Amino acid sequence: MKNRGIAGFLALVVIIAFGVYTALSGFSAGGINIAPLGNQVKQGLDLKGGVYVVYEAQTDAKGEELKKIIDQTIEVFRRRIDTLGLTEPVIVKEGEKRIRIELPGVKNANDALEMIGKTAQLKFALQDGTVIVTGKNVKKSEVVIDQQSKEPLVALEFDAEGAKAFADATEQLAPTQSPIFIVLDNEVISSPVVNEKIPNGQATITGNFTVESASELANLIRAGALPVDFKEIQTSTITATLGENALKMSLLGAKVGIAILIVYMMAFYKLPGLVAAVALAAYGLIVGYSFVGMNATLTLPGIAALILSMGMAVDANVIIFERIKEEIGKGKSLRVAIDAGFSRAMTTIIDSNVTTFIAGVVLYNFGTGPIKGFAVMLMLGIVASMFTAVVVSKLLLKTLANAGFLKNNKLFGA
């Protein structure tokens, strides 16, 4: 029992230490390659530098109509930014009528903004490039479900001018079942084959669509006929030098703070302080890899939230250790004191974490940009701190308690 206790404690410490090493230096063996965690984290504008712009829709549309306009415009912006070769753009709806675009690491801000803000160019063309109709002729583009096959398809409707041109073109193409090329910003987004003449300006595009892929195509076609102008209301360029300096200072501050914290915890709480340090490492691994897994973007407010939630994780451990000391002071055995200490501390820990988590939910729902990033990191940190304090710390303490030779209460700060 004694040996199993020590072996269990050492096994957990080794696993967490290996995780920390991999996070800091990466790992490569047997075809498995894991990059250092720092290389996997996406950095926001304030850390990497770049440009952001906010556009506002110039329309009186409201409700679902406005939502549809914003959604299809976001899709068009995203495709244009993809052509710039940027891998970490952030394109989000801000309020009801605005779209915020962040381009970390962009080198030529003017070219990027010109590309993003230009008017969409949609055309239906023959193989030789002859334009049949343009986006201005498209009255409707939406996803419908075929009543017979129960599969999604894209339904189109053209105005009178477009209907006549489309009828002439499809009459010409139908005998040879030739395709019509749908081109947006000089990129072919679909090339459906014409099976028959379409005389009434109402066409459907079928294929192996999912609801999502059909919606994307319908949105792109609507974007070419978008009747709404977007006004650039805010633009700012952040230099990379500022971001790099800010990141270096933040990391240095975090290292110094964590080192002081660990020394204090071990000096004041002895073995539980060591347990807290190990649990804190586990907390960092959970938060770091969860953040990467969520494909989230790290910003300075996010680092602030990380430090705040780290403080809450330490606070939870302090509450638990104090309760354990009180139970030991009452003359209880170490194992009983650990169980009783965790039980008494649980209500306080849950109350403080739940209320902070609710604040994070509110910030996420009503905030924008960096505030959302702060909220995501805060909520993620709270969940991780609860897990490490309640599960990891308890597991480590109980494995130590099972090592019978550690019976000196002074080793537990009592």
Side-chain angles (χ1 to χ4, degrees), residues 126 132 163-178 180 194-199:
L126 302 177
I132 305 169
K164 184 178 183 309
F166 208 70
D168 293 342
T170 52
E171 183 178 22
Q172 174 189 343
L173 298 173
T176 56
Q177 294 191 326
S178 298
I180 286 180
V194 178
N195 293 317
E196 59 184 7
K197 178 182 178 182
I198 301 174

Side-chain angles (χ1 to χ4, degrees), residues 142-156 182 189-196 198 203-210 213-214 217 221:
E142 61 183 3
V143 178
V144 297
I145 303 298
D146 186 277
Q147 294 302 312
Q148 294 183 342
S149 65
K150 305 300 181 185
E151 294 183 350
L153 53 85
V154 178
L156 304 176
I182 305 174
I189 59 174
S190 183
S191 55
V193 171
V194 178
N195 293 317
E196 59 184 7
I198 301 174
T204 58
I205 304 174
T206 60
N208 296 321
F209 286 121
T210 62
S213 62
L217 179 58
I221 294 175

Side-chain angles (χ1 to χ4, degrees), residues 110-176:
N110 290 332
D111 287 351
L113 294 176
E114 185 178 348
M115 172 66 78
I116 294 167
K118 72 178 183 181
T119 304
Q121 297 292 326
L122 177 79
K123 57 187 178 184
F124 291 64
L126 302 177
Q127 192 167 13
D128 61 5
T130 302
V131 176
I132 305 169
V133 295
T134 65
K136 71 176 184 179
N137 300 118
V138 179
K139 289 178 61 179
K140 185 184 294 183
S141 173
E142 61 183 3
V143 178
V144 297
I145 303 298
D146 186 277
Q147 294 302 312
Q148 294 183 342
S149 65
K150 305 300 181 185
E151 294 183 350
L153 53 85
V154 178
L156 304 176
E157 182 178 346
F158 299 97
D159 60 13
E161 179 187 355
K164 184 178 183 309
F166 208 70
D168 293 342
T170 52
E171 183 178 22
Q172 174 189 343
L173 298 173
T176 56

